[in-house]
Amino acid sequence: MKRATVVGILPAGDASINAPDYLKRPLTDQVFSHYHIEPAIICHAGVNRELARMKEFWSLLAGRRIIVITREAQKIKERLEKEPYKQNIVHALPFHQWQDYRKTIQWMTSHKDSYDVALISCGVNAVVLAERIAALTGKVALDFGKANNIILKGRPN
């Protein structure tokens, strides 16, 4: 969190994420205070859900070599290669649990010249993976949150 470029947090009282209130902003504030975390740039924690629905986001990625890292890697790859997304998905790495971390980082660093952007959807693991991939490779790595669910169920706006 201390090294992340942008950190997503929920505004106080936000109801957009289905979790008990004490697990949202109050817990974030406690953790940030305890570990002296002061993100330089913050955004709404649900921004990745909105990006998945935005044609502008997908236009921004047009022509980029994208890797997806998620439990349903092949499924999301196939969906993103089709209309309306039409993305250049060059790799799809399955990530099921924390035990996949080391082999994923090793693969990402040894293949860093084969992709431009990593979209990562694997729960809280994505927070750590995105920062490490960006730091070790110099590539854009985005914790894509629950965007996979949105993509697999529907279309962007």
Side-chain angles (χ1 to χ4, degrees):
M1 293 285 291
K2 288 183 178 181
R3 294 186 303 258
T5 308
V6 179
V7 175
I9 63 172
L10 291 173
D14 187 272
S16 64
I17 293 177
N18 186 19
D21 286 339
Y22 73 92
L23 291 177
K24 295 192 263 187
R25 186 56 184 269
L27 181 58
T28 300
D29 291 343
Q30 289 173 6
V31 170
F32 280 20
S33 176
H34 180 80
Y35 290 102
H36 308 290
I37 298 171
E38 297 180 23
I41 302 172
I42 62 170
C43 66
H44 190 286
V47 69
N48 43 25
R49 297 172 189 208
E50 294 307 313
L51 290 176
R53 295 181 177 103
M54 295 177 65
K55 288 180 182 178
E56 297 85 355
F57 175 72
W58 299 110
S59 293
L60 181 68
L61 292 180
R64 307 278 194 267
R65 298 170 302 163
I66 301 169
I67 183 168
V68 292
I69 303 171
T70 185
R71 180 179 304 268
E72 300 177 295
Q74 192 59 38
K75 200 176 201 181
I76 197 70
K77 176 186 186 302
E78 291 169 5
R79 181 71 181 104
L80 288 175
E81 290 175 332
K82 297 177 182 172
E83 290 286 346
Y85 305 99
K86 298 289 282 182
Q87 296 300 310
N88 179 23
I89 310 299
V90 293
H91 302 290
L93 289 182
F95 191 103
H96 299 281
Q97 56 192 355
W98 180 250
Q99 286 79 359
D100 296 331
Y101 174 80
R102 290 192 192 285
K103 76 174 181 187
T104 301
I105 291 294
Q106 182 180 19
W107 194 97
M108 296 297 286
T109 55
S110 64
H111 293 85
K112 67 181 177 184
D113 295 329
S114 68
Y115 65 93
D116 303 310
V117 177
L119 299 179
I120 310 162
S121 293
C122 51
V124 72
N125 300 304
V127 174
V128 178
L129 277 171
E131 188 283 324
R132 283 288 71 205
I133 290 167
L136 293 171
T137 67
K139 304 294 180 164
V140 172
L142 177 64
D143 172 356
F144 213 36
K146 297 210 180 275
N148 279 4
N149 297 344
I150 293 164
I151 292 164
L152 292 174
K153 290 179 181 176
R155 299 171 57 93
N157 292 338

